[in-house]
Amino acid sequence: MPNYNDLRPSTDKNRAEYRQIFPHISDPYRAEIIRTLQKLRMGLDMSHIPARRAEDNLIIATWNIQHFGSDLNRTAAGMFCLAEIIARFDLVAIQELKSDLSDLKKLLRLLGEDWTYIVSDVNYGTKGNYERMCYIYNASRVRPSGLVSELSPWDEFFEEFPDLVPSDQQRFLRAPYVMGFETAWKAFSIMSLHLKPNDNDTGAKLRADEMKLILALLDKKDKERWIDNLIITGDFNFFTDNDKDAETIAFLNQEGFSEHADLIGKPTTLSKKNTYDRFFLRSGNYFELSEEEDALSADVLDPFEFIFKADGAADHAHAWEEYKLNRGGGAWDQTTRRYNDFRKRQLSDHLPVWFSLKADNTDEFLDTKLEENEENL
């Protein structure tokens, strides 16, 4: 569970014994945050996210956290809520982390000592949007295998495949970020992506070009072990009604990457208009879903059902005042547009997407080895 020490009231005699992340918030603001967290925790308990079960399952998520770390838009309330949500998972691929890591470090302090992270360098330039890729993970549940890589083509590759040069003559707008992990019986790799937005033909072509380039690079690296058990995830920016994005998805399927069946067609944005955030897994049984009793094995979580609701401005009055102060103060009216901007910037305009991986293969291993030994009798 996250670290709640900042929520001790100013009269708490033990308060001084704990390092504070938000030492200047008032007692009424702390009470507002506590009420928000209680609603969120109740909603999370009722969601389909399964409980952790020793070494049996691993809960993997992806989340584009809008402009994370780029400015002072996230309040103490928003940071506590981010930590509460992420703490329900074991491993989260984060997109749209910006160059400043201050918010990320606050988030990790809230999550507690079991949690750590690894980030990519900044994708400089306006087309790269000055973004990083990030993995946040619970080190008591999953460990890094040692592999970290930004996928990148080489000169001889383009000499062999000149037609795969992306249409804007850049190799990648934002470099795909790969990391290897191990847990129980599973060793796997994750590639996190953030493809070009925009629903016009130019945006769709850039997404198609980058996916074709990625898959061609993976094909050339097919002798590397991390390729076999690979999850491709992130913000693909595939538009639901764009035929060219549908063609790109079909191409992914042809190359052996299947979209997670329980997630197909589920909207992943606050607007509920598109399925941008996805998981594509290598075909086969390696990424077998854990069997969840009375729960789904994968889903999209909408925390706005519980907190920062469209009609919930009165529930977040102190956070709103902090938000206004962070943005320079002034006589801001709490209009619908500005409140919607505020609530998205506390969490994100994207929703977290997750699936539960079966991590324990003991029964299958024993059955197979019994058959092999019996053949030698």
Side-chain angles (χ1 to χ4, degrees):
M1 67 180 182
N3 180 339
Y4 300 117
N5 290 323
D6 273 282
L7 301 181
R8 296 173 182 271
S10 57
T11 54
D12 190 326
K13 295 180 180 180
N14 297 319
R15 182 176 172 81
E17 299 179 10
Y18 300 94
R19 184 172 62 171
Q20 304 300 306
I21 305 170
F22 305 104
H24 303 301
I25 58 177
S26 66
D27 285 352
Y29 190 5
R30 291 189 186 96
E32 178 181 286
I33 293 173
I34 290 171
R35 288 192 293 270
T36 300
L37 290 176
Q38 288 174 331
K39 293 176 183 177
L40 176 58
R41 287 174 58 81
M42 185 178 299
L44 291 171
D45 287 343
M46 292 187 299
S47 73
H48 298 295
I49 302 173
R52 298 182 178 94
R53 297 195 306 276
E55 294 184 340
D56 186 56
N57 67 346
L58 188 77
I59 307 167
I60 302 174
T62 185
W63 198 2
N64 178 326
I65 302 181
Q66 183 184 30
H67 304 308
F68 190 37
S70 64
D71 48 30
L72 297 174
N73 288 321
R74 271 185 186 82
T75 64
M79 293 296 293
F80 267 103
C81 291
L82 286 178
E84 193 70 51
I85 293 165
I86 288 174
R88 296 294 175 117
F89 308 122
D90 297 315
L91 166 62
V92 186
I94 302 292
Q95 300 84 42
E96 213 165 303
L97 174 64
K98 307 297 274 189
S99 56
D100 188 340
L101 299 181
S102 300
D103 278 354
L104 176 66
K105 292 179 180 179
K106 289 178 183 177
L107 177 62
L108 266 292
R109 287 169 64 187
L110 286 173
L111 283 168
E113 61 184 13
D114 284 340
W115 289 82
T116 188
Y117 70 92
I118 188 164
V119 298
S120 71
D121 195 5
V122 180
N123 288 288
Y124 281 96
T126 55
K127 291 183 178 179
N129 202 27
Y130 296 91
E131 292 180 20
R132 301 174 186 266
M133 300 291 188
C134 178
Y135 295 102
I136 300 176
Y137 59 97
N138 186 330
S140 70
R141 296 275 294 166
V142 64
R143 57 192 178 274
S145 69
L147 170 73
V148 179
S149 173
E150 288 188 353
L151 193 66
S152 178
W154 50 97
D155 291 341
E156 291 81 2
F157 175 87
F158 282 135
E159 291 173 4
E160 184 176 353
F161 302 103
D163 59 321
L164 290 178
V165 177
S167 53
D168 68 345
Q169 301 302 308
Q170 291 193 22
R171 296 189 175 185
F172 286 113
L173 298 180
R174 288 171 280 225
Y177 196 45
V178 181
M179 187 168 179
F181 291 95
E182 297 175 348
T183 182
W185 286 78
K186 301 292 183 180
F188 60 93
S189 302
I190 300 184
M191 178 186 296
S192 182
L193 305 177
H194 189 184
L195 301 184
K196 176 73 175 177
N198 203 316
D199 63 349
N200 61 23
D201 287 348
T202 300
K205 178 169 173 47
L206 276 170
R207 290 190 289 275
D209 287 349
E210 289 205 344
M211 282 310 313
K212 289 176 182 177
L213 177 55
I214 288 168
L215 293 170
L217 287 167
L218 294 179
D219 187 60
K220 293 296 288 185
K221 291 172 171 282
D222 66 345
K223 294 181 180 179
E224 298 184 30
R225 292 185 62 186
W226 65 268
I227 298 293
D228 294 336
N229 304 319
L230 176 64
I231 301 168
I232 302 179
T233 191
D235 178 5
F236 293 81
N237 275 306
F238 290 150
F239 285 77
T240 303
D241 55 357
N242 192 315
D243 291 339
K244 292 185 178 179
D245 283 328
E247 292 174 6
T248 303
I249 294 170
F251 183 68
L252 266 163
N253 297 157
Q254 292 167 13
E255 294 299 310
F257 287 94
S258 299
E259 189 171 3
H260 197 296
D262 290 344
L263 298 172
I264 293 175
K266 289 188 176 180
T268 66
T269 59
L270 179 58
S271 68
K272 300 297 179 70
K273 291 181 179 179
N274 287 287
T275 306
Y276 289 153
D277 310 272
R278 306 184 182 221
F279 285 104
F280 288 90
L281 315 178
R282 279 285 195 188
S283 300
N285 294 323
Y286 190 83
F287 292 119
E288 185 179 355
L289 300 183
S290 61
E291 295 180 359
E292 306 298 344
E293 185 176 353
D294 298 325
L296 296 179
S297 293
D299 205 3
V300 178
L301 172 68
D302 185 357
F304 294 99
E305 292 180 357
F306 323 122
I307 57 172
F308 297 111
K309 295 180 179 181
D311 60 351
D315 296 332
H316 306 290
H318 291 281
W320 170 254
E321 291 301 319
E322 182 190 356
Y323 178 74
K324 287 198 301 182
L325 181 64
N326 288 344
R327 293 177 65 87
W332 280 33
D333 293 327
Q334 201 174 81
T335 62
T336 299
R337 181 183 66 82
R338 283 179 169 158
Y339 175 68
N340 280 335
D341 179 69
F342 157 76
R343 69 195 192 104
K344 286 190 294 186
R345 289 179 181 271
Q346 300 318 297
L347 301 178
S348 181
D349 55 348
H350 289 244
L351 307 176
V353 184
W354 61 269
F355 79 97
S356 182
L357 172 70
K358 180 179 179 181
D360 185 0
N361 281 78
T362 301
D363 291 337
E364 294 88 337
F365 176 84
L366 293 176
D367 287 344
T368 301
K369 297 312 168 188
L370 176 60
E371 291 179 5
E372 292 174 357
N373 278 282
E374 288 178 340
E375 289 174 359
N376 295 328
L377 293 178

